[in-house]
Amino acid sequence: MPPGYVSAADAAYYAGVPVGTIWRWASEGRIGKTGRGKVAGYCVWDLPKGRRDEYTRELLEPGAAPPLPAGVRAA
């Protein structure tokens, strides 16, 4: 996987959203993706960071959805 790209599970944890949301954001063009299937990587720089507790790492607030590219409708 190229630098700056992470698995769907890691992207979901970072953003504080389900893996399915990461897949949808990538299909809508909200976040960058490389590869296909189980080896796909998602651009960590495009992901919104979820807010977590400093000590327990419990999710306090998921990251906001990235904006849609111009001219694209949500799925």
Side-chain angles (χ1 to χ4, degrees):
M1 211 173 305
Y5 285 83
V6 296
S7 70
D10 291 340
Y13 179 82
Y14 180 81
V17 297
V19 172
T21 302
I22 298 298
W23 295 334
R24 182 173 48 85
W25 286 350
S27 71
E28 293 173 345
R30 294 177 189 247
I31 60 174
K33 176 184 167 188
T34 186
R36 294 173 57 170
K38 292 183 179 184
V39 296
Y42 301 88
C43 183
V44 74
W45 308 115
D46 295 341
L47 294 170
K49 186 174 183 178
R51 197 166 60 89
R52 295 186 175 273
D53 182 87
E54 179 180 351
Y55 300 105
T56 64
R57 305 308 301 157
E58 178 184 359
L59 181 65
L60 301 174
E61 181 180 6
L68 282 167
V72 177
R73 292 180 12 174

